[in-house]
Amino acid sequence: MGKRMSSVIIPDRAPYILSTASVVGKKEGEGPLGKGFDHVEQDAHFGQKTFEKAESFMQSKAAEMALSKALLKPCDIDIIFAGDLLNQCTASCYGLVELNRPMVGLFGACSTSAEGLAMGVMALESGFADHVLTITSSHFCTAERQFRLPLNYGGQRTPTAQWTVTGSGAFVLGNNPISKEGNVRIKAIAIGAPVDMGITDANNMGAAMAPAAIKTLTEFFTDSKTTENDFDLIVTGDLGHVGHSIVKEQIGLSGVYNDCGLMIFDRERQDVHAGASGCGCSASVLASNIITRMRAKELSSVLFTATGALMSPTSAGQGESILGIAHAIWLESV
Amino acid sequence: MGKRMSSVIIPDRAPYILSTASVVGKKEGEGPLGKGFDHVEQDAHFGQKTFEKAESFMQSKAAEMALSKALLKPCDIDIIFAGDLLNQCTASCYGLVELNRPMVGLFGACSTSAEGLAMGVMALESGFADHVLTITSSHFCTAERQFRLPLNYGGQRTPTAQWTVTGSGAFVLGNNPISKEGNVRIKAIAIGAPVDMGITDANNMGAAMAPAAIKTLTEFFTDSKTTENDFDLIVTGDLGHVGHSIVKEQIGLSGVYNDCGLMIFDRERQDVHAGASGCGCSASVLASNIITRMRAKELSSVLFTATGALMSPTSAGQGESILGIAHAIWLESV
């Protein structure tokens, strides 16, 4: 049975990340981490009729690849935890229906990658599941249509704006590793609370999410009695340049701290302004670059903290502030 | 540690429903179950500026009442599981932010009431939480605006259409009861898989959700080695008249089978066509009428199966079929 130290939960049996898979779009494939993704698609439609179907396709492809790498079939998965940015989790529901497995839909905006991993750990620890699949995605074109302006409008982007990643990241978790070496376990998790700091600028998500990241990280350090020295990498989900700077300065973190939203694109060359965002950002970076470096023992202790901006077009239109949330996952290579 | 019998999960320590609270609108208060709700509000706006804020207000009020009845403070809640029908779970995020507690956002359309209870059981069984709050809501006016036509349009409703309940239901779960008698425990859960039967009529949600209810219920009976004789009440979430008839006939259930969408309104007198729907439908009926009858030992074994239609305005606009999902919760009075 898991132990709780205030905000930090330590599973009795730290589960293994049996496999991961990442599927991304062309622009992500051209970025600094491009070679590490499992599949880079050149067509923004992924061969589908709509961008929403393209996002569903990404999820089904990532799920298929992660299952295959874990040497499992869909029927071996006891629970799927899935979510995305779209209204009513459209990408996940339609992308995964053919797996025909028990599914728990999640919503945590861009924090969903960590939310899913946390739920996966809980499912394994409770004995309710032996294998879980956690998956999330985002697509630049579906997100722009949903949260901002239609692409055809050609709206000007502000310097604080972030570029939604077209990508999906899938993870299969289980209690027993499939190989003897190069394994990654989840040592602890922390589920964050929503934070309202009164930010209302939908083009400055980094600033809206930074307070939640600060809250979750500082509580994690205190409750787990750790400092940044206990980690080779502390990485937030998609704060981008603005949010990353705020968190770095406020907590006083050193070069060990990075952000998936700064890692996936070359900000200068790829014209993404403040960096990247989206459920697929942290999910695809963790599922590729970070886990690969952990399996190779280049990184041994990583604090992955996915961040989400809990807002909707309706709440934005009604002048509500943008709530932030952040969930932390402590990973170790064994 | 929980036991799994295929689709059915039996927690080692069946958790208690420590308290429930239900907050509903005027029409629900005028229905057959009206006197059983904790709070009936006459103003559709609940004193707020927008219907979305009204829905958030319902959740915060239901949460407050459930906590108070369980003799707990917000800080005693280890994890909140919450979700609703709105884009990006707006009602839950804004309604619960002030509790300042770790929160997991869920999306299961109208199945969210059972999804939350299932996650709550998992959190307690894993030891990750000692107390959880599960909550969901829907509001007629926010749902119409989001999924169908603006109210001002005055669109004609079809005979198969259902009326979205304005209501919220909250549940506090824990491992130790607060009173010696009249307790309700969760004996087993079953997490459903999305089902696609090709239904595309957004005015016939009952038909879209019925196949998922049939799948979850028949698998539940098989895997738990039960029949309808093991239950005083088998109740689906919000199938309404059409879906209820399909399920009753297909499975061959008797009068022990009812539907929250048929219980909450008087179909003839209240002009709700096929019945009620919405996250708040099954949640508020379970949190009031059903749990009260269980505490009074009028009902001793109940199979609560909340049903959801996984669709969005975007998916409907793109001609996608409506996926159904159903999660089952086996409750017993002790």
Side-chain angles (χ1 to χ4, degrees):
Chain A
M1 187 176 294
K3 268 189 301 183
R4 265 182 305 122
M5 305 195 301
S6 210
S7 71
V8 178
I9 298 165
I10 300 172
D12 189 39
R13 300 173 301 168
Y16 291 86
I17 295 185
L18 302 186
S19 69
T20 64
S22 53
V23 173
V24 300
K26 179 168 179 265
K27 189 182 182 88
E28 291 70 21
E30 290 166 353
L33 311 182
K35 287 186 180 160
F37 298 117
D38 292 303
H39 181 82
V40 178
E41 181 79 36
Q42 299 301 310
D43 169 20
H45 278 94
F46 287 70
Q48 307 296 309
K49 277 188 183 172
T50 68
F51 293 127
E52 285 74 16
K53 283 184 201 278
E55 192 175 336
S56 289
F57 179 83
M58 276 198 292
Q59 283 212 18
S60 73
K61 178 124 189 139
E64 183 192 313
M65 293 174 88
L67 284 171
S68 165
K69 286 197 216 176
L71 311 174
L72 297 174
K73 292 175 193 157
C75 62
D76 297 318
I77 296 295
D78 301 306
I79 310 177
I80 299 173
F81 293 96
D84 55 81
L85 291 177
L86 300 185
N87 291 352
Q88 291 80 40
C89 293
T90 307
S92 306
C93 297
Y94 290 91
L96 305 172
V97 62
E98 286 183 9
L99 294 179
N100 191 27
R101 297 308 300 156
M103 181 165 143
V104 173
L106 298 178
F107 178 73
C110 306
S111 74
T112 306
S113 54
E115 187 184 1
L117 290 170
M119 291 300 97
V121 173
M122 201 169 83
L124 294 169
E125 182 80 358
S126 65
F128 287 15
D130 289 326
H131 291 111
V132 302
L133 170 69
T134 79
I135 185 164
T136 184
S137 66
S138 55
H139 191 301
F140 175 76
C141 302
T142 63
E144 288 298 306
R145 168 143 76 193
Q146 175 127 120
F147 291 101
R148 299 181 190 90
L149 298 165
L151 289 180
N152 320 31
Y153 180 80
Q156 188 83 359
R157 298 170 65 81
T158 70
T160 56
Q162 293 174 247
W163 187 279
T164 305
V165 162
T166 297
S168 175
F171 304 82
V172 175
L173 310 186
N175 289 316
N176 302 301
I178 49 175
S179 60
K180 285 187 180 167
E181 290 194 357
N183 285 306
V184 177
R185 299 182 84 164
I186 299 180
K187 195 171 177 177
I189 64 168
I191 300 170
V195 173
D196 184 0
M197 291 297 280
I199 307 280
T200 55
D201 181 0
N203 286 310
N204 195 355
M205 297 295 215
M209 295 188 282
I214 292 168
K215 177 179 162 70
T216 297
L217 284 170
T218 51
E219 287 178 3
F220 190 95
F221 293 139
T222 305
D223 296 339
S224 66
K225 297 189 175 63
T226 55
T227 67
E228 67 169 324
N229 298 330
D230 291 292
F231 305 97
D232 304 309
L233 172 67
I234 296 168
V235 64
T236 41
D238 57 345
L239 297 182
H241 177 63
V242 178
H244 176 264
S245 302
I246 295 171
V247 170
K248 187 167 182 174
E249 189 175 315
Q250 289 283 317
I251 307 187
L253 294 170
S254 70
V256 79
Y257 170 48
N258 208 337
D259 181 75
C260 298
L262 293 173
M263 293 165 73
I264 195 167
F265 293 130
D266 181 325
R267 280 175 62 217
E268 297 306 314
R269 181 171 59 80
Q270 294 189 285
D271 189 29
V272 293
H273 298 222
S277 68
C279 281
C281 176
S282 60
S284 65
V285 172
L286 178 63
S288 59
N289 178 273
I290 297 175
I291 294 289
T292 303
R293 285 157 70 200
M294 292 193 77
R295 292 203 193 281
K297 307 265 182 181
E298 187 191 323
L299 298 172
S300 66
S301 176
V302 172
L303 187 56
F304 172 76
T305 307
T307 37
L310 304 170
M311 50 91 70
S312 80
T314 313
S315 68
Q318 293 179 357
E320 295 272 10
S321 52
I322 301 167
L323 310 181
I325 196 163
H327 308 296
I329 307 288
W330 186 0
L331 301 155
E332 61 172 355
S333 65
V334 289
Chain B
M1 186 176 294
K3 267 190 301 184
R4 265 182 306 119
M5 304 194 302
S6 210
S7 72
V8 178
I9 297 166
I10 299 172
D12 189 38
R13 301 173 300 168
Y16 291 85
I17 296 186
L18 302 187
S19 69
T20 64
S22 51
V23 173
V24 300
K26 180 168 177 266
K27 190 182 184 87
E28 291 70 20
E30 290 165 353
L33 310 182
K35 287 186 179 159
F37 298 117
D38 292 303
H39 181 81
V40 178
E41 181 80 34
Q42 298 302 311
D43 169 20
H45 277 94
F46 287 69
Q48 307 296 309
K49 278 189 183 170
T50 68
F51 294 126
E52 285 74 15
K53 283 184 202 278
E55 192 175 337
S56 289
F57 179 82
M58 277 198 292
Q59 283 213 17
S60 73
K61 177 123 190 138
E64 183 192 312
M65 293 174 87
L67 284 171
S68 166
K69 287 198 218 175
L71 311 175
L72 297 174
K73 293 176 192 155
C75 62
D76 297 318
I77 297 295
D78 301 308
I79 309 177
I80 298 172
F81 293 96
D84 55 82
L85 291 176
L86 300 184
N87 291 353
Q88 290 80 41
C89 293
T90 305
S92 306
C93 297
Y94 290 92
L96 305 171
V97 61
E98 285 183 9
L99 295 179
N100 191 27
R101 297 307 300 155
M103 180 166 144
V104 173
L106 298 178
F107 178 73
C110 305
S111 74
T112 307
S113 54
E115 187 185 1
L117 289 170
M119 290 300 98
V121 174
M122 200 169 83
L124 293 170
E125 182 80 359
S126 64
F128 287 15
D130 289 326
H131 292 111
V132 302
L133 169 70
T134 78
I135 186 164
T136 183
S137 67
S138 55
H139 191 301
F140 176 75
C141 303
T142 62
E144 287 299 305
R145 167 143 77 195
Q146 176 128 119
F147 290 101
R148 298 180 189 93
L149 298 165
L151 290 180
N152 322 32
Y153 179 79
Q156 188 82 358
R157 297 169 67 78
T158 69
T160 56
Q162 293 173 248
W163 187 281
T164 305
V165 162
T166 297
S168 174
F171 304 81
V172 176
L173 309 185
N175 288 317
N176 302 301
I178 48 176
S179 60
K180 284 187 180 166
E181 291 195 355
N183 285 305
V184 177
R185 299 181 83 165
I186 299 179
K187 196 171 174 176
I189 64 170
I191 301 170
V195 173
D196 184 359
M197 291 297 279
I199 308 279
T200 54
D201 181 0
N203 286 310
N204 196 355
M205 296 296 214
M209 295 188 282
I214 292 167
K215 178 180 161 71
T216 297
L217 283 170
T218 51
E219 287 179 3
F220 189 94
F221 293 139
T222 305
D223 296 340
S224 66
K225 298 188 176 62
T226 55
T227 69
E228 66 169 326
N229 298 329
D230 291 293
F231 305 98
D232 304 307
L233 173 68
I234 296 168
V235 63
T236 41
D238 57 345
L239 297 182
H241 177 64
V242 179
H244 176 263
S245 304
I246 296 171
V247 170
K248 188 168 181 173
E249 189 176 316
Q250 290 283 316
I251 306 187
L253 294 170
S254 70
V256 79
Y257 170 48
N258 208 339
D259 182 74
C260 298
L262 293 174
M263 294 166 71
I264 195 167
F265 294 129
D266 180 326
R267 279 176 63 218
E268 296 306 314
R269 181 170 59 81
Q270 295 189 285
D271 188 31
V272 294
H273 297 226
S277 67
C279 282
C281 175
S282 59
S284 65
V285 171
L286 179 63
S288 59
N289 179 272
I290 298 174
I291 293 288
T292 302
R293 286 158 69 198
M294 293 194 78
R295 292 204 193 281
K297 307 265 181 181
E298 187 191 321
L299 298 172
S300 65
S301 176
V302 173
L303 187 57
F304 172 77
T305 307
T307 35
L310 304 171
M311 49 92 67
S312 80
T314 312
S315 68
Q318 293 179 359
E320 295 272 12
S321 53
I322 300 169
L323 310 181
I325 195 163
H327 309 297
I329 308 287
W330 186 358
L331 300 155
E332 61 172 355
S333 66
V334 288

